Amino acid sequence: MRTAILALLLSSMAATACSAAGRSTPPTPEDFFRRPDRVQIFLADNDQTWDMGPARDDTTPRSGFFLLPKEGPELSSKQRRALADLWVSAKDPASYPPRKCGFNPDIAFRFWIGKTWVDAVVCFTCREIAFHDASGKPIPAAQAGFLDGFPVMQELAKQAFPEGGFNPGF
């Protein structure tokens, strides 16, 4: 009986393909948002070159079609935990009343696992988030989930960029 239970337990553990850090292989959006190795914060802006594309010598980091013109400090362990606690599964979406906004991004978080990342580009005006993978492709909200805690994200932005450069409040 114990052998059967042990075999069942071991086979279920193997089926989830989790690493020692409790992450799936390959990492899921939940892994990136709840268990990243590190998180960077950037100021974010719309790319005004639109369809012309960036100049060859332009090395400004990007997330999809958004610019990340200024990098802030890497988030501390405590800050990463506060951000991880905001993640809501795509199965339980958070919704906010619609606001008139053309999605003018304020900040972006880059969640790293190993050598790859997922970006969350945040607009504080309309309380929307655009998610992109490391290649810049959009990740549908139905897969990414949501970061439900705009006051926390805004406080992280104020800590990283005390001089401003983003929407100061909603």
Side-chain angles (χ1 to χ4, degrees):
M1 179 71 166
R2 286 185 188 174
T3 305
I5 293 172
L6 182 59
L8 182 62
L9 177 65
L10 290 175
S11 67
S12 68
M13 287 172 50
T16 61
C18 288
S19 69
R23 294 189 284 232
S24 301
T25 305
T28 64
E30 180 178 5
D31 292 327
F32 278 101
F33 300 124
R34 292 234 188 230
R35 294 175 284 283
D37 293 333
R38 61 190 184 104
V39 178
Q40 294 173 281
I41 186 171
F42 297 84
L43 288 179
D45 201 358
N46 284 312
D47 186 349
Q48 300 300 319
T49 61
W50 302 108
D51 63 344
M52 295 182 290
R56 282 184 224 238
D57 59 346
D58 183 1
T59 58
T60 304
R62 297 173 188 281
S63 179
F65 45 87
F66 301 110
L67 295 173
L68 308 178
K70 185 173 182 184
E71 183 178 346
E74 194 169 294
L75 270 59
S76 69
S77 176
K78 183 179 177 183
Q79 291 170 320
R80 286 194 316 268
R81 181 78 256 146
L83 197 55
D85 290 343
L86 303 179
W87 185 78
V88 177
S89 168
K91 297 172 190 166
D92 305 310
S95 64
Y96 289 89
R99 293 179 175 218
K100 291 183 180 183
C101 177
F103 195 87
N104 188 16
D106 292 293
I107 61 166
F109 294 102
R110 182 163 283 173
F111 298 83
W112 287 87
I113 292 179
K115 295 181 180 181
T116 191
W117 69 83
V118 167
D119 288 338
V121 183
V122 180
C123 176
F124 290 134
T125 302
C126 62
R127 297 187 214 170
E128 294 288 330
I129 303 173
F131 297 97
H132 298 96
D133 65 17
S135 67
K137 290 184 355 189
I139 302 171
Q143 294 174 8
F146 194 71
L147 296 171
D148 188 16
F150 288 91
V152 172
M153 290 186 279
Q154 195 150 39
E155 184 56 36
L156 292 172
K158 287 176 185 175
Q159 291 170 13
F161 306 106
E163 70 284 359
F166 57 91
N167 185 351
F170 53 85

